[in-house]
Amino acid sequence: MGQPRTGIDSFTDYYSSLIGWERFRSSQFGIKHYCTIGLNSREANNEKLAEQVMELLPQFIFKEGVVGIGEIGFDDQTAAEEKYFRLQLELAKEAGLPVQIHTPHRDKKRGTQRSMDIAIEHGLSPYSVIVDHNNEETVKEVLDRGFWAAFTIYPFTKMGNERMVDIVKQYGSERIMINSAADWGISDPLAVPKTAALMKKSGISLSDIELVSFRNAITAFSQSGQIDESDFISVKNIDQSQKFASNSILRGGQQPRIDKNSIIIT
């Protein structure tokens, strides 16, 4: 949100929108929507509220389209963050869901190592854990220990697309995936296709590009049992006249588009 949530009702509305309206809204444009759900590391430091969120999470993690627990992990690497990280790892084990880990912006290498140590301590298979926000100093150990290494591509921070190309050239495509952001900061939701185009221009094979920009993410999150790839490979029957909880995506007298071809914006 860009600011802390201050009450349990805001979490309830947030999670409800992820599995409800956002899933519906995406479908109206031919997009198959999946999400992970969790208590993020920064908000774990409000322990009174965090306790309430932990009671709330089981109501949402078994819903259709939820493919993992996350992002969870460390921000400032406090005792409270560790407590709720561990509790959510146990929740993921009980639910049989993959975990998406947030690695800290500060002291990232130590935070990443600590996150992996704790995941293994709780008996999770590294293959079920996606470690996100990697950079050049963390990627080797993440891969060596059998975890998935994800990279969030930003215009100015964390990981740029040219640096990402160099990483793929050095480490290959096994268990590496890229993602883009559309958050409250300066980000580029088209960072994945832009990075894929740059990889192609740099001579990386099409098979490696497909793994890094698409296939590996599907493989990792399919461990949830929620993803049926045929659902979004062949999108059919777009009908923007439909409503969700009496709400429509149409505004200002817009007419609904009722087939896949009509929603493509050129």
Side-chain angles (χ1 to χ4, degrees):
M1 288 180 64
Q3 64 187 48
R5 295 175 181 85
T6 57
I8 191 62
D9 287 346
S10 62
F11 277 94
T12 302
D13 290 341
Y14 171 49
Y15 296 150
S16 296
S17 72
L18 284 176
I19 63 170
W21 170 254
E22 291 299 340
R23 188 167 173 81
F24 167 77
R25 183 165 70 104
S26 296
S27 73
Q28 297 296 281
F29 295 94
I31 298 170
K32 188 71 174 179
H33 178 283
Y34 301 95
C35 68
T36 61
I37 284 181
L39 172 66
N40 75 59
S41 50
R42 180 173 297 182
E43 290 175 317
N45 289 296
N46 182 341
E47 291 198 65
K48 181 179 178 180
L49 184 55
E51 289 294 332
Q52 298 176 63
V53 174
M54 290 305 303
E55 294 180 7
L56 182 67
L57 283 175
Q59 300 178 32
F60 289 95
I61 62 173
F62 296 102
K63 298 293 187 180
E64 183 180 1
V66 178
V67 297
I69 305 294
E71 290 182 346
I72 61 175
F74 290 113
D75 184 46
D76 287 327
Q77 303 193 53
T78 65
E81 290 172 8
E82 180 172 338
K83 173 184 176 181
Y84 294 104
F85 179 37
R86 289 179 179 274
L87 287 173
Q88 290 182 95
L89 290 176
E90 287 299 315
L91 191 60
K93 283 176 58 179
E94 294 171 15
L97 287 171
V99 171
Q100 185 174 15
I101 288 180
H102 173 277
T103 53
H105 306 291
R106 299 166 295 281
D107 200 4
K108 181 178 287 287
K109 185 174 183 178
R110 184 173 73 91
T112 302
Q113 292 170 333
R114 189 177 173 192
S115 299
M116 293 189 291
D117 290 343
I118 291 173
I120 290 172
E121 182 184 331
H122 280 260
L124 275 79
S125 165
Y127 194 77
S128 70
V129 179
I130 299 97
V131 180
D132 206 351
H133 311 315
N134 280 279
N135 61 19
E136 291 87 349
E137 70 172 354
T138 62
V139 56
K140 185 178 187 303
E141 183 172 355
V142 170
L143 293 174
D144 286 348
R145 297 179 73 174
F147 292 81
W148 294 90
F151 296 79
T152 303
I153 312 299
Y154 274 84
F156 307 111
T157 61
K158 294 184 181 178
M159 176 58 58
N161 49 21
E162 291 183 352
R163 289 164 58 198
M164 191 66 230
V165 169
D166 291 338
I167 286 173
V168 174
K169 285 182 175 180
Q170 181 174 356
Y171 294 99
S173 59
E174 184 178 356
R175 281 181 288 108
I176 288 179
M177 67 181 78
I178 59 175
N179 57 77
S180 56
D183 60 19
W184 46 266
I186 298 174
S187 55
D188 182 0
L190 296 177
V192 168
K194 288 179 181 179
T195 304
L198 188 59
M199 283 192 282
K200 182 179 180 182
K201 185 178 179 181
S202 301
I204 294 174
S205 71
L206 291 178
S207 60
D208 283 336
I209 294 171
E210 182 185 12
L211 284 169
V212 170
S213 60
F214 176 69
R215 181 64 52 193
N216 285 343
I218 300 301
T219 300
F221 287 108
S222 287
Q223 295 176 89
S224 65
Q226 286 279 352
I227 297 179
D228 183 349
E229 191 174 333
S230 64
D231 287 346
F232 53 88
I233 292 298
S234 55
V235 177
K236 299 177 181 178
N237 302 323
I238 303 298
D239 183 357
Q240 293 181 341
S241 66
Q242 295 177 339
K243 294 183 178 180
F244 178 86
S246 300
N247 292 314
S248 166
I249 63 165
L250 303 176
R251 296 291 184 270
Q254 290 175 329
Q255 296 301 306
R257 298 175 179 184
I258 56 174
D259 63 81
K260 181 181 177 182
N261 292 333
S262 70
I263 66 170
I264 304 299
I265 300 172
T266 57

